[in-house]
Amino acid sequence: MLRLAAFAVTSALAATAAGPLPPLPLGRLLAAPDRLTIAMADTGNPRLDREYRLECDPVGGDHPWKEESCARLDQLAGEGKDPFAPVSKRQICNMQHGGPATARITGTWRGQKVDATFRRTNGCEINRWDELEPLLPPGRS
């Protein structure tokens, strides 16, 4: 009993001397897992026109470029960008047409619900699509 009390006192003194522990990243630990469903159509490659699952942290799913896609999403987040944000209605876009490819991404990413549609209907939308490569493959131009 005396040894247990001595251990408790020694442990308490050591913890006090070491200072407070850094806070745990509870927001990330309690957040829903990163799980996305990507439905692609009219990409110009019939093998890509289907629905994929992508999981990040840990990486999983059946997306053909899952590691690269998760790394790209992390890179964009590190740059402070929301990869699923729509093009601003105030942005001026050239009327270039990038082909008929469409993609819809739904699920959860970084604790936020995702429901985003991508098209290649003008220069801004083409750029938005291209920003997510390899999550979204290059579309026909």
Side-chain angles (χ1 to χ4, degrees), residues 23-134:
L24 292 174
L26 291 180
R28 197 67 177 123
L29 292 175
L30 298 177
D34 294 338
R35 289 191 181 130
L36 298 171
T37 299
I38 302 98
M40 294 189 289
D42 300 320
T43 63
N45 182 344
R47 294 185 312 176
L48 294 177
D49 289 350
R50 65 183 197 85
E51 189 172 283
Y52 298 94
R53 285 182 4 271
L54 176 68
E55 298 172 7
C56 300
D57 206 14
V59 174
D62 62 355
H63 192 283
W65 303 284
K66 54 185 161 260
E67 291 86 5
E68 298 88 346
S69 296
C70 290
R72 180 63 180 147
L73 290 172
D74 285 342
Q75 178 186 10
L76 291 168
E79 295 170 1
K81 296 179 181 176
D82 176 358
F84 307 109
V87 172
S88 170
K89 294 185 186 305
R90 300 178 74 172
Q91 189 168 347
I92 298 173
C93 305
N94 69 35
M95 296 315 295
Q96 172 184 1
H97 183 69
T102 61
R104 181 166 183 215
I105 301 175
T106 57
T108 306
W109 184 72
R110 299 213 165 216
Q112 302 295 313
K113 287 276 193 192
V114 173
D115 188 350
T117 301
F118 293 78
R119 293 181 178 85
R120 300 179 62 82
T121 55
N122 63 45
C124 295
E125 292 291 346
I126 293 169
N127 184 59
R128 181 174 174 246
W129 180 295
D130 291 348
E131 281 280 309
L132 283 183
E133 192 179 326

